[in-house]
Amino acid sequence: MFRRTRRLALISALAATAVILSACSGTPEPAATSTSAPDPDAILQVGLVLEPTNLDIRHTSGAAIEQILIDNIYEGLVTRTQENEIEGRLASDYKVSDDGLTYTFTLNDGITFHDGTALTSADVVASYETVRTDATVQGNAEFASVASITAPDATTVEIVLSEPNQNFLFALTGPAGLVFKTDDDATDLKTAENGTGPFTLTRWNKGSTITFARNDDYWGEKAGVAEVEFQYIPDFTAGVNAALAGDVQVLTAVDPNLASQLEADFTLTKGRTTDKATLAFNNKKAPLDDVRVREALRLAIDHDALIEAVGAGTTLYGPIPELDPGYEDLSDVISYDPEKAKELLAEAGQEDLELTLTIPSFYGTTVPKVLISDFNKVGVTLKVNSVEFPTWLEDVYTNHDYDLSFVLHVEPRDFGNFANPDYYFGYDNAEVQDLYSQAQAEVDPDKSAELLAKAARIVSEDHAADWLYNGETITAVSPTVSGFPEDSINSRINLADVTVSAEK
Amino acid sequence: MIRYALVRGALLIAGLLVSSVLIFLTLRVFPGDVAQLIAGTQASPAEVEALRESLGLNQPLFAQYTDWIGGIFRGDLGTSLLSGASVSEELFLKAQVTVPLGIMSLLIAVLIAVPFGILAAILRGRRGGTALSVGAQALAAVPVVWAGMMLIVVFSVWLGWLPPQGFPRTGWSTPGKAIESLLLPALTIGIVEGAMLMRFVRSATLQAAGQDFVRTAAAKGLTRTRALIQHGIPAVGLSIITVLGLQVAGIIVGSVVIEQLFTLPGIGRMLVADVGTRDLIKVQSELLVLTGFVLVVGFLVDLLHRAIDPRQREAA
């Protein structure tokens, strides 16, 4: 601790000297905000919780893999910002025809794969053809409406849809939109890569670290650090210890209850996410097929107290979070009212109700504890069944064998789950399904969002589920690091603009 | 002797085959599969089915079993369904933590058990001897997790001498740090296993004390204690080897728990993680290697015992 303070003092002194010197030489430099200049040879060490199971982003789902690989190693025609806005990446420009059917992309100049080969529109066509035709590839379903993918010339790609799809461009910001080299048999994607991004993969020490190096031949602006080392530390306390010991300069997904320990040495940021902490009701199973029971359960939950117990997050009373199109504040739909909950349960003839909550074990006990006590106050006994994730997938997700379930649904723009009666929520409402398909087919984004908002309100008024909170992610960033993203970092950590200043 | 070794070896192979079937079948009881895990919650049932097929998970059980066992006969432990990495490579990597941990634990156990066990035997009936016996009994009953937590509290939290968790990322290229991080976990297993072993050493020593050759030595004018140390204890050494062999199994089980507690990237933690992700081929091979290891140690101990102890040879 002492050494750190002294080092900081030294940095400040050096920075002050630098400012004075620059003033002497008369250059009109703005006052330095960081303590010293970025070091292009710096190594950035980032602590993360969840390690990808493999690196084959074409066949493996999950935030852990997208988070580090997309934009850093692999790139798509388009990408999304921290605010979930879509912008061009490999494509310098893109146009959507007025009928919403034809998408025309123009590629940037001089893009090369990490093995040195130039990327052409033929690679894009081949990559997207694979997504369209191979059901084992991630995003295959999102390409269902794609009619044709062609390359009129070496820098142009044209995609034609059979019907308008408002979500299509967004799907291209995910794994489905990434561009791989045509017929690249030399690269085993599970353990190696051949992307186009600003970093290359140097080493994966499973269970411990993944290392990236700056791609000095990158077609765009080169990355600000020479190397990035992701350290996977599944235990929250161990993560804090690693940060305090100086092993990592950035710690993501800080446990809110431990955050205060890092305050002295790190800047803590609270980032917005599209994590919807969803209390799923089995809408097809009695007694939860009764809307009065579902409403009673929602009324019984003190959402503010729950967020306080969890330590981070904001209230969310509907299926669409702030960062997605169609968001609307739905706090008028439900309030905390245990008395009314009791009345509704009595009305439904369910005064002595016993329900089971099936929850994947890694979510811990905070949420179940709060729910047990809240439900207890309205006469509902809650049993908690904590299971391994694969068991959850089989029992709840595949077989729909559950009463209540808790999962953080992290995917952006996943409202469609409430328009799919076969999804494990079992929520079946023709009006919602109709509004959702209209929103998908709508060419104008604003009108599409309006339709989504309308559908989302119906879902919330039907109490198809309860949204306990909208997750926030706490990141601890050392003062020597600048440009580290804040929002949506549990699905994307774009490191191209991150710099680390020299410590001496 | 050769005939005995052959029979014993055949038993070893039969044991391995039986355990391979048991391991294979028990794992199939688990709900949930790796294909669904890879595909995620946004995948359609058709996508999951396609993935399941490409992973070979929808083949009949018998075909899956012969596929796996056939590979092992060719020296191929298979590849992880999830990561596509070679299982043997990862086992080798993780063994660099678990094997040194096991050896250190065993050493600590022996260093505790042998002197204190003999001392307890010598002091039998006196206050010190009773205290040692009761202490060993109590320590042997302590759950490994609890012992580990107590050691963390004392040596890491209070004294700050040793790291409470983790293994240096640099691994054995910084041997000092690596040993430092293994000390507490090894002590934890070593103390508990050592306490169990100590009770055995004590009773074996006492048994030896009652043997004719010790009594003869005492009759020749040695004190009882000296007779025990000079003649009794060498005889005890032999039976300790057998018990140590059994102890190896206990240390493997202990390491699964301990690696979890101290977040050590070893075989035990890998096993727990792989069960959690239903990476069945990997878990199968890992369990078979561990079972095989215990069985082989048992086999070697039996042979060794027979080779050293003439009385057993006559009995056969």
Side-chain angles (χ1 to χ4, degrees):
Chain A
M1 197 57 72
F2 171 69
R3 199 190 301 160
R4 185 180 296 277
T5 351
R6 211 166 55 170
R7 199 189 282 159
L8 270 180
L10 196 65
I11 293 168
S12 331
L14 275 174
T17 321
V19 169
I20 293 164
L21 283 177
S22 66
C24 290
S25 62
T27 37
E29 286 277 332
T33 46
S34 176
T35 42
S36 66
D39 173 11
D41 299 323
I43 299 173
L44 173 70
Q45 286 148 322
V46 182
L48 297 137
V49 177
L50 205 60
E51 186 179 7
T53 49
N54 72 58
L55 298 179
D56 184 358
I57 195 163
R58 292 211 105 168
H59 294 96
T60 312
S61 85
I65 186 169
E66 286 188 31
Q67 184 183 43
I68 61 163
L69 293 189
I70 295 185
D71 289 343
N72 294 322
I73 300 283
Y74 296 112
E75 299 174 300
L77 291 179
V78 285
T79 188
R80 57 187 196 231
T81 64
Q82 290 179 53
E83 288 77 33
N84 274 355
E85 309 279 351
I86 298 168
E87 62 180 23
R89 182 82 183 203
L90 293 178
S92 59
D93 187 30
Y94 61 89
K95 278 199 294 279
V96 187
S97 65
D98 290 340
D99 60 3
L101 291 179
T102 310
Y103 289 69
T104 313
F105 301 87
T106 312
L107 292 178
N108 274 303
D109 291 330
I111 304 171
T112 53
F113 287 102
H114 292 159
D115 68 0
T117 342
L119 178 146
T120 68
S121 52
D123 296 303
V124 184
V125 173
S127 300
Y128 290 8
E129 245 341 294
T130 311
V131 179
R132 192 170 76 91
T133 51
D134 184 348
T136 65
V137 168
Q138 289 284 318
N140 173 263
E142 294 166 310
F143 269 42
S145 60
V146 173
S148 72
I149 309 155
T150 48
D153 60 61
T155 56
T156 311
V157 177
E158 203 172 272
I159 302 175
V160 180
L161 305 184
S162 53
E163 56 194 28
N165 183 349
Q166 187 58 237
N167 254 358
F168 180 68
L169 208 51
F170 193 77
L172 289 186
T173 68
L178 300 177
V179 179
F180 299 84
K181 191 178 148 188
T182 315
D183 298 326
D184 184 0
D185 296 328
T187 313
D188 177 10
L189 291 182
K190 279 187 171 176
T191 50
E193 56 88 10
N194 185 15
T196 57
F199 291 96
T200 58
L201 175 81
T202 36
R203 209 166 80 94
W204 182 20
N205 180 356
K206 202 163 177 343
S208 168
T209 56
I210 294 180
T211 321
F212 290 174
R214 175 171 48 219
N215 171 16
D216 284 317
D217 301 322
Y218 185 57
W219 59 273
E221 198 166 316
K222 305 207 183 356
V225 289
E227 227 178 86
V228 183
E229 184 181 82
F230 297 102
Q231 291 182 20
Y232 290 94
I233 313 170
D235 182 82
F236 287 118
T237 322
V240 170
N241 288 343
L244 289 175
D247 289 348
V248 294
Q249 291 125 22
V250 176
L251 183 68
T252 66
V254 179
D255 184 324
N257 298 312
L258 304 175
S260 59
Q261 296 182 37
L262 296 166
E263 268 167 5
D265 301 317
F266 291 85
T267 312
L268 296 175
T269 62
K270 260 191 181 176
R272 293 174 295 168
T273 70
T274 56
D275 294 3
K276 299 151 294 278
T278 310
L279 181 67
F281 302 148
N282 193 342
N283 283 263
K284 284 217 170 93
K285 187 181 170 195
L288 291 156
D289 55 352
D290 186 335
V291 66
R292 290 171 298 188
V293 175
R294 299 198 301 264
E295 184 177 2
L297 293 181
R298 288 187 81 190
L299 287 166
I301 300 168
D302 183 349
H303 290 84
D304 293 312
L306 183 116
I307 289 170
E308 199 163 307
V310 172
T314 54
T315 51
L316 176 72
Y317 296 102
I320 298 181
E322 197 191 330
L323 289 174
D324 281 348
Y327 170 76
E328 184 186 4
D329 181 1
L330 292 171
S331 52
D332 56 312
V333 176
I334 198 84
S335 54
Y336 174 53
D337 193 343
E339 286 311 311
K340 197 177 165 199
K342 275 191 218 161
E343 282 166 29
L344 277 173
L345 285 170
E347 212 182 295
Q350 299 289 352
E351 279 151 310
D352 204 12
L353 189 57
E354 192 180 293
L355 295 168
T356 304
L357 171 76
T358 311
I359 178 171
S361 50
F362 47 68
Y363 289 128
T365 55
T366 311
V367 169
K369 271 190 203 149
V370 174
L371 291 178
I372 288 173
S373 112
D374 276 356
F375 286 169
N376 196 25
K377 286 176 196 147
V378 299
V380 175
T381 314
L382 187 68
K383 285 200 304 180
V384 177
N385 180 19
S386 173
V387 296
E388 300 246 81
F389 192 55
T391 310
W392 182 90
L393 280 171
E394 172 137 333
D395 290 352
V396 178
Y397 178 74
T398 311
N399 296 332
H400 306 186
D401 178 16
Y402 75 105
D403 298 331
L404 306 179
S405 172
F406 173 83
V407 167
L408 273 179
H409 279 273
V410 299
E411 289 83 5
R413 304 198 185 190
D414 61 356
F415 175 76
N417 293 336
F418 287 96
N420 172 8
D422 296 329
Y423 202 66
Y424 80 96
F425 301 148
Y427 176 66
D428 191 355
N429 182 321
E431 198 186 351
V432 169
Q433 288 152 27
D434 190 43
L435 282 168
Y436 180 66
S437 52
Q438 278 181 47
Q440 292 287 86
E442 174 56 55
V443 179
D444 177 4
D446 294 331
K447 281 190 190 143
S448 171
E450 268 171 42
L451 289 162
L452 283 175
K454 211 169 150 190
R457 179 169 280 277
I458 298 172
V459 169
S460 183
E461 283 170 353
D462 269 346
H463 311 292
D466 187 59
W467 298 273
L468 297 173
Y469 58 89
N470 183 186
E472 276 180 323
T473 168
I474 302 178
T475 311
V477 184
S478 151
T480 55
V481 176
S482 51
F484 200 86
E486 280 181 29
D487 291 328
S488 305
I489 59 165
N490 49 358
S491 58
R492 290 288 182 285
I493 303 182
N494 187 342
L495 292 165
D497 298 331
V498 179
T499 55
V500 180
S501 55
E503 280 201 273
K504 284 187 201 105
Chain B
M1 180 72 196
I2 290 173
R3 195 164 151 255
Y4 174 80
L6 284 176
V7 173
R8 189 64 186 73
L11 271 177
L12 170 71
I13 290 169
L16 274 173
L17 274 176
V18 170
S19 17
S20 76
V21 174
L22 281 179
I23 288 168
F24 181 84
L25 289 179
T26 5
L27 288 178
R28 294 307 181 281
V29 178
F30 277 119
D33 70 338
V34 70
Q36 183 70 65
L37 200 69
I38 293 176
T41 55
Q42 298 295 313
S44 67
E47 286 173 275
V48 180
E49 202 42 53
L51 195 63
R52 201 168 280 142
E53 195 179 321
S54 73
L55 291 174
L57 289 171
N58 55 356
Q59 284 181 29
L61 281 189
F62 186 70
Q64 288 188 41
Y65 176 77
T66 45
D67 215 39
W68 170 55
I69 280 297
I72 288 185
F73 272 112
R74 291 190 303 273
D76 173 17
L77 290 177
T79 51
S80 154
L81 290 173
L82 266 177
S83 69
S86 145
V87 175
S88 44
E89 260 172 47
E90 213 186 320
L91 258 174
F92 179 72
L93 199 75
K94 304 293 180 195
Q96 294 174 9
V97 174
T98 306
V99 171
L101 173 66
I103 293 173
M104 278 168 79
S105 309
L106 209 57
L107 272 178
I108 292 172
V110 171
L111 282 179
I112 291 173
V114 173
F116 284 108
I118 292 170
L119 193 65
I122 292 172
L123 295 178
R124 185 167 76 133
R126 276 180 266 173
R127 210 174 286 163
T130 316
L132 276 174
S133 294
V134 172
Q137 189 97 34
L139 272 181
V142 164
V144 181
V145 176
W146 190 78
M149 290 197 299
M150 287 303 115
L151 286 178
I152 292 178
V153 167
V154 175
F155 289 101
S156 302
V157 181
W158 288 353
L159 300 171
W161 289 350
L162 292 166
Q165 62 201 354
F167 191 72
R169 271 175 303 110
T170 38
W172 285 99
S173 55
T174 47
K177 274 189 166 178
I179 290 175
E180 227 175 51
S181 63
L182 288 181
L183 258 180
L184 270 191
L187 258 180
T188 311
I189 305 178
I191 287 176
V192 176
E193 293 286 318
M196 286 191 230
L197 193 62
M198 174 183 154
R199 289 164 60 210
F200 174 80
V201 172
R202 175 178 175 272
S203 60
T205 316
L206 284 176
Q207 215 183 346
Q211 302 269 349
D212 291 343
F213 57 88
V214 177
R215 266 187 290 155
T216 311
K220 281 183 182 165
L222 287 175
T223 64
R224 196 172 152 270
T225 306
R226 290 206 59 175
L228 197 60
I229 291 174
Q230 283 187 356
H231 298 273
I233 286 164
V236 174
L238 201 59
S239 39
I240 289 182
I241 291 177
T242 315
V243 179
L244 272 185
L246 295 174
Q247 213 82 350
V248 168
I251 281 173
I252 288 176
V253 174
S255 74
V256 173
V257 177
I258 282 302
E259 285 176 9
Q260 214 62 22
L261 183 66
F262 287 90
T263 51
L264 291 174
I267 293 175
R269 229 163 74 106
M270 170 172 72
L271 196 60
V272 173
D274 293 336
V275 172
T277 54
R278 303 293 185 267
D279 200 340
L280 293 187
I281 293 188
K282 221 172 140 205
V283 178
Q284 272 164 212
S285 296
E286 286 159 3
L287 282 178
L288 192 66
V289 167
L290 290 183
T291 318
F293 183 70
V294 173
L295 290 178
V296 167
V297 168
F299 172 70
L300 292 178
V301 164
D302 275 6
L303 287 192
L304 192 68
H305 210 149
R306 222 180 151 77
I308 301 176
D309 192 345
R311 283 169 304 179
Q312 286 218 3
R313 243 174 289 163
E314 283 152 24

